[in-house]
Amino acid sequence: MSKSPTHPSLPASSERPVLPVPTAEQQRILDRIALQRERLRARRVARAQALALAESNRAAAGGVEESLAWRAAGFAREHPWAVAAMAGAAVVAGPRRLIRWAGVLLPMLLRLRR
């Protein structure tokens, strides 16, 4: 004998509930949701591929770090306001003070690179 569901209004575990047919407006919304999900899925796949490609390129380079100039350019591209603020501070400080501080900071940076 097979067991029947405990509650007559609930479907059996192998049956799927019958859903009402959506109206035209509801179907448009469901279609938009499906398109958005597909776009998000495609974006996630593309991002994973880009990260994998970047990782393989980094590994192919032998793990060599990027030069200080490339890292500085990347920082400037990502943080333009910070770079503008530093340039403004450099203008206010003047060339003599900048050269003096460069004489202090450059040896420290070179030691950190080792």
Side-chain angles (χ1 to χ4, degrees), residues 40-61:
L40 291 173
R41 203 173 293 120
R43 185 186 301 170
R44 214 176 4 250
V45 168
R47 179 168 165 72
Q49 288 175 346
L51 288 174
L53 181 62
E55 186 63 34
S56 68
N57 286 344
R58 199 172 310 139

Side-chain angles (χ1 to χ4, degrees), residues 18-31:
V18 177
L19 298 175
V21 176
T23 64
E25 185 176 342
Q26 290 171 337
Q27 188 59 47
R28 279 198 321 267
I29 291 172
L30 290 172
D31 291 341

